Amino acid sequence: MEDNREFVRDVTIVNELGLHARSAAMIAKIVRRAAGKIWIVKNDLAVDAASIIDILTLEGLKGSKITFKIETYSDTEILNELERLVSSGFGE
């Protein structure tokens, strides 16, 4: 996979509760619309962004940096949506 702005977004978790079940479910719901695979990477651990359980294993606390990676260019808008979701603190 190419590592450029088209396929990768680095974001910081800003909400107080971090990546918890509700925020993980919000991510997974968006990701399930994707044509290809989407990954979340934290500290060299890559997990399936469509799996709530996998997302929770990242232990994403407030201030944690995570990276979303897409495999298909057609999922760029979903990547943008994920970046906005995390940057906005999941609406919390």
Side-chain angles (χ1 to χ4, degrees):
M1 180 181 349
E2 296 177 41
D3 275 343
N4 62 35
R5 182 77 180 152
E6 300 295 328
F7 290 91
V8 177
R9 291 293 188 308
D10 297 318
V11 292
T12 300
I13 298 168
V14 297
N15 59 310
E16 289 297 324
L17 298 175
L19 283 178
H20 53 85
R22 188 177 73 78
S23 55
M26 293 169 82
I27 290 171
K29 182 178 180 183
I30 291 169
V31 168
R32 287 186 186 120
R33 299 191 332 251
K37 240 1 192 173
I38 299 182
W39 304 95
I40 303 175
V41 181
K42 179 180 176 261
N43 298 335
D44 296 325
L45 175 63
V47 300
D48 181 352
S51 168
I52 295 169
I53 300 290
D54 285 2
I55 294 168
L56 293 175
T57 65
L58 292 175
E59 299 178 2
L61 304 175
K62 180 180 180 185
S64 297
K65 307 249 188 262
I66 60 172
T67 302
F68 288 104
K69 292 186 176 187
I70 62 171
E71 294 181 347
T72 306
Y73 181 78
S74 62
D75 291 329
T76 302
E77 186 48 45
I78 289 175
L79 185 61
N80 294 336
E81 191 174 340
L82 291 166
E83 180 181 30
R84 287 189 300 268
L85 177 69
V86 176
S87 297
S88 71
F90 300 95
E92 296 177 352

